[in-house]
Amino acid sequence: MSFSFTSKLSTFLLIFIFLGSISIVSADFNNEFDITWGDGRGKILNGELLTLSLDKSSGSGFESRNEYLFGKIDMQLKLVPGNSAGTVTAYYLSSKGSNWDEIDFEFLGNLSGDPYILHTNVFSQGKGNREQQFYLWFDPTADFHTYSILWNPQRIIFSVDGTPIREFKNSESIGVPFPKNQPMRIHSSLWNADDWATRGGLVKTDWSQAPFTASYRNFRADACVVSSGKSSCGSSASSGGNQAWLSEELDNTKQERLQWVQKNYMIYNYCSDSKRFPQGFPPECKVA
């Protein structure tokens, strides 16, 4: 009996490892992204690894060649190790213009041994101020971890290693603009923000630790690509066919994971900051 159980367990683990090894389809960075600034501080290595670096002279950044209007986007990042105080690694979706839309991950560096702060925000038609911040339940500098954005007409879900940390729902019915009409590119940058990033600017960047480097791999986008005003998903989101993410929502298990993260790791929520909103919280804060 024990032999049978052990054999089944071993078989299950082998299947799990095998499936895990093929579940990530890595795109070629050379085809998907352009280094947009940094004078050589951003590098694409063999198409499989991208690195951004920051020194006292400059940071660096990249953007996607494609524009997307809804999608499920994954990227693995390994953040600046050691004393990263003053640095910010930003990874986000953004449109153009004065009434832009944006979906943000920002990683605020810290002194060695202190946790990174993961800062999230959502802009719609140029209006943001929807910050939620988290600690992570692992060291994001020790290895690569997957940071994901699910963006469909009903909701935006931020996830880390498949665990949802934040959901921003479409609340247009109560007058809250939602990003749904403007295609966005993926951007990332590593830059110096020691006037605010670490303890409100009290801890400055230690340039003796430079260059600071963040690494990226295993990009994947299941998304509607917009080119010349036309979407690869057709004229409307409903024509997406088999793209289940276009109507995906959190099931009970993921709702529980979301609650676990927000209970144990959320350190700031604009919807709880009564000093900031003495006249009452923004209307989307009332949406369950």
Side-chain angles (χ1 to χ4, degrees), residues 119-130:
H119 175 101
T120 66
N121 205 349
V122 176
F123 288 77
S124 50
Q125 297 182 18
K127 180 184 181 301
N129 300 321
R130 300 185 176 104

Side-chain angles (χ1 to χ4, degrees), residues 265-285:
Y265 294 98
M266 179 185 283
I267 58 173
Y268 179 80
N269 181 6
Y270 77 108
C271 284
S272 301
D273 191 344
S274 56
K275 290 183 179 179
R276 183 175 173 188
F277 301 104
Q279 305 304 317
F281 294 115
E284 69 269 17
C285 294

Side-chain angles (χ1 to χ4, degrees), residues 16-266:
F16 180 80
I17 291 167
F18 173 72
L19 290 175
S21 68
I22 65 172
S23 62
I24 297 173
V25 180
S26 179
D28 187 328
F29 279 109
N30 288 308
N31 297 330
E32 299 288 342
F33 295 97
D34 291 314
I35 306 294
T36 49
W37 63 284
D39 194 24
R41 291 172 179 82
K43 295 181 171 63
I44 297 175
L45 308 172
N46 299 320
E48 298 178 356
L49 182 71
L50 189 155
T51 61
L52 295 180
S53 291
L54 163 70
D55 57 33
K56 198 168 186 177
S57 298
S58 178
S60 50
F62 66 83
E63 73 174 19
S64 64
R65 294 183 177 179
N66 287 327
E67 288 187 296
Y68 305 97
L69 186 60
F70 307 124
K72 191 172 187 177
I73 295 164
D74 302 327
M75 182 80 83
Q76 290 193 329
L77 279 73
K78 183 163 68 171
L79 300 180
V80 174
N83 180 0
S84 58
T87 71
V88 172
T89 304
Y91 168 61
Y92 59 102
L93 289 163
S94 183
S95 64
K96 297 179 179 178
S98 58
N99 293 317
W100 78 101
D101 296 335
E102 189 169 309
I103 304 169
D104 288 345
F105 278 114
E106 288 187 298
F107 303 90
L108 312 185
N110 220 329
L111 293 169
S112 300
D114 288 345
Y116 261 81
I117 292 174
L118 171 51
H119 175 101
T120 66
N121 205 349
V122 176
F123 288 77
S124 50
Q125 297 182 18
K127 180 184 181 301
N129 300 321
R130 300 185 176 104
E131 301 91 345
Q132 290 184 357
Q133 294 183 340
F134 306 84
Y135 289 142
L136 294 165
W137 50 95
F138 53 83
D139 179 357
T141 73
D143 203 351
F144 286 89
H145 291 269
T146 303
Y147 301 90
S148 306
I149 295 169
L150 169 68
W151 169 36
N152 65 33
Q154 297 82 36
R155 58 188 41 83
I156 296 163
I157 299 171
F158 298 79
S159 298
V160 178
D161 289 338
T163 294
I165 64 169
R166 178 178 185 178
E167 180 179 26
F168 183 82
K169 294 181 179 179
N170 184 331
S171 299
E172 288 179 307
S173 62
I174 56 173
V176 180
F178 184 82
K180 68 171 191 178
N181 297 314
Q182 301 187 76
M184 297 196 267
R185 295 185 191 272
I186 301 165
H187 300 260
S188 190
S189 57
L190 175 57
W191 50 292
N192 179 44
D194 66 1
D195 56 333
W196 65 270
T198 306
R199 294 183 59 200
L202 293 176
V203 183
K204 301 300 183 181
T205 304
D206 181 358
W207 293 110
S208 70
Q209 304 294 313
F212 304 97
T213 301
S215 303
Y216 304 73
R217 72 179 188 189
N218 289 334
F219 166 71
R220 178 173 178 169
D222 296 326
C224 302
V225 176
V226 175
S227 179
S228 302
K230 295 183 179 180
S231 170
S232 61
C233 296
S235 59
S236 68
S238 61
S239 64
N242 296 324
Q243 291 148 329
W245 51 264
L246 270 170
S247 58
E248 185 174 335
E249 56 188 80
L250 297 176
D251 60 21
N252 289 339
T253 300
K254 289 194 173 182
Q255 286 280 6
E256 290 174 0
R257 295 295 290 172
L258 175 68
Q259 292 167 11
W260 172 79
V261 171
Q262 296 199 342
K263 178 182 178 181
N264 293 286
Y265 294 98
M266 179 185 283

